[in-house]
Amino acid sequence: MFDHYPKWAQEFAQKYLSRTINQFILHGNVHDLVPLQKKEGTDFVRLKSFLSEEFFGARDYVVFYDRSSGIYFRDKETQKDFNRALAGRDSLVGTDYANKLPKDPVRVFSLLEQYFRVRIDNKKSIALIVDYAETIVPMNEAGSTATEDRNALVYLSRWAHDPMFLAADFTTALITENLADLNKTLVQNPYTNEIKINIPEQEQREQFISHELPAEEFKEVSEVSEKVVAQQTAGLNFINIRSILSNAQQNKEKITHDRLSEAKKELIEAEAYGLLEFVETDYSLDDVAGHTKVKEHLRHAVSALKAGRQDVLPMGYLVCGAVGTGKTFLVTCFANEVGIPMVKLKNFRSQWQGVTEGNLEKILGLLKAMAPVAVMIDEADAYLGDRDASGDSGVSSRVFSQIATFMSDTRNRGQILWFLMTARPDLMPVDLKRQGRAEEHLALFPPHTDEERVELYEAMKKKTGLKLTEDYVPQVIEQGLKSFSGADMEAALTRAKFRAAAEGKEKVTPEVLDLALNDFLPPTYPEEVELQTLSAVIECTSKELLPERYQEMDRSEILSKIEELKYRIG
């Protein structure tokens, strides 16, 4: 009966027909177009048009409300009927609402309730569509909810379980982008049901492209096929795709792989309110110095992904190691080599009540739609919060719960690859590090052998663009006379370039390089670095990925040393 509806609308219809619920929250991709299958093909319409003209098309009255526009109607007949009822009320009560309708929720809901009850008595069928519902009943702690918000909540809650409304052909549809932005009491009400509208899948995107541009017209504006465009636009909604197609038509700029990738990046970052940032690099794992066994392990993951064996991949990686060991660089290089987009989560926390959870809900929805995708979270011990965090009205614990639940969804295995990076894995909650979330723990260490030190030097020489007057490997590096992490090496070589530039030279002589390396004094925190290194050792989930000097160390002795270092550092 509802086969021509999208999945969410079929679910909506089935739940309403159960006759036990009349209030629904539509959330997610609510500002997009809705695909509607017809005999002549698939049409794409706005959500409110779909609800009023198709889904509730048989209702006698369809009423809309939002704070900005106030009350408005599907058709003139409904408006005339409402105005007649309002005129009668004005004459009885002495108000003048027929000439100037109120827009605030409390007075609007008071008028609508009286109107609905009279029309339900007359056996009329009614649908009320409330847009931007988060502005009517926003997320607030109970003690801080304004009087107007509480009153609006009472009206909506009453309509949801009033026997008269439940027995009638009456439905309230509340529309909001983020479920977390709505008052929890309303969301958790057993008489209210939530329906998620997802970002379109590949098949739907392909249908939309064909709908927007017939095959011949499409060929004129694109160098890649419709199928490829549909694949490459994962994470975008129909309006985003229309924007790409329109830009190609209007500006006579053909769609190419590069332009498509750039447009997708810009649109998704905008869609996520700037809370997601695409990580891009020209480097590959070949440019990572040292960490030979870790690179080999990651390359096996690359092969599995390219072979379509998502089932063998871990849900996520915990990458740990002392500061300067190249955690971020390694992960970035992996993403470039595997050929899937990598995004970095920016600060989604807000001082305003409910906004943090709403931001995170939006981000997680986009990640699911963009799959396959890699997600990088730097300083994960500080970023992700804790289940037991307090002092911020429970925001940190709710954020932790949202992320932990999402990370453990096994349907995302091989689709969303998490990389949590930290120098202090001991500070991270066990819930995030356990199997089923960040399953594979990789530990990175500073170079230890002569070969590793020289490899790091060569890699950093390339990264910094250091030009020497002759091939030269400094003795201080070759013989290990001074210890350099990757970050230390990069800083020291940059100083050598600075010295040469001060002398008006582009190339660095061996003498200047030796001077810079011998002069360089990295900030020294030996106990902190040792603590970070031993924490990485104890955290690593694969013995063969550890350097030989750590493989046979007694774990109980390492744990004792870690506790001693923590006590000494304070």
Side-chain angles (χ1 to χ4, degrees), residues 174-295:
L174 306 171
I175 301 174
T176 184
E177 191 171 9
N178 297 321
L179 196 62
D181 292 342
L182 278 184
N183 189 291
K184 273 193 172 181
T185 304
L186 183 71
V187 175
Q188 294 171 355
N189 189 328
Y191 291 95
T192 299
N193 204 287
E194 57 196 65
I195 305 288
K196 175 139 188 214
I197 303 177
N198 290 313
I199 290 173
E201 298 174 354
Q202 182 178 328
E203 184 182 346
Q204 294 174 316
R205 296 194 298 272
E206 204 164 339
Q207 286 178 344
F208 180 73
I209 292 166
S210 299
H211 172 269
E212 288 291 293
L213 290 177
E216 289 305 314
E217 288 184 39
F218 181 82
K219 285 179 183 176
E220 291 178 11
V221 300
S222 179
E223 292 180 6
V224 293
S225 68
E226 291 181 19
K227 187 173 183 179
V228 170
V229 172
Q231 288 172 342
Q232 297 279 322
T233 50
L236 299 184
N237 61 30
F238 295 129
I239 291 176
N240 294 149
I241 297 169
R242 176 178 282 173
S243 170
I244 291 172
L245 298 176
S246 297
N247 179 67
Q249 274 187 307
Q250 299 300 323
N251 297 322
K252 309 297 181 187
E253 293 180 356
K254 285 206 168 189
I255 297 170
T256 63
H257 282 287
D258 289 343
R259 281 184 180 152
L260 196 56
S261 297
E262 189 60 34
K264 176 181 174 178
K265 172 179 172 292
E266 289 174 3
L267 288 167
I268 285 182
E269 286 181 351
E271 195 73 21
Y273 314 130
L275 302 171
L276 280 182
E277 177 186 342
F278 279 77
V279 178
E280 296 178 330
T281 182
D282 294 326
Y283 295 107
S284 71
L285 289 173
D286 289 333
D287 297 297
V288 177
H291 314 311
T292 306
K293 291 179 180 177
V294 172
K295 288 190 292 185

Side-chain angles (χ1 to χ4, degrees), residues 526-538:
E527 290 185 332
E528 284 86 342
V529 170
E530 186 180 3
L531 173 59
Q532 293 169 359
T533 301
L534 293 178
S535 295
V537 171
I538 210 72

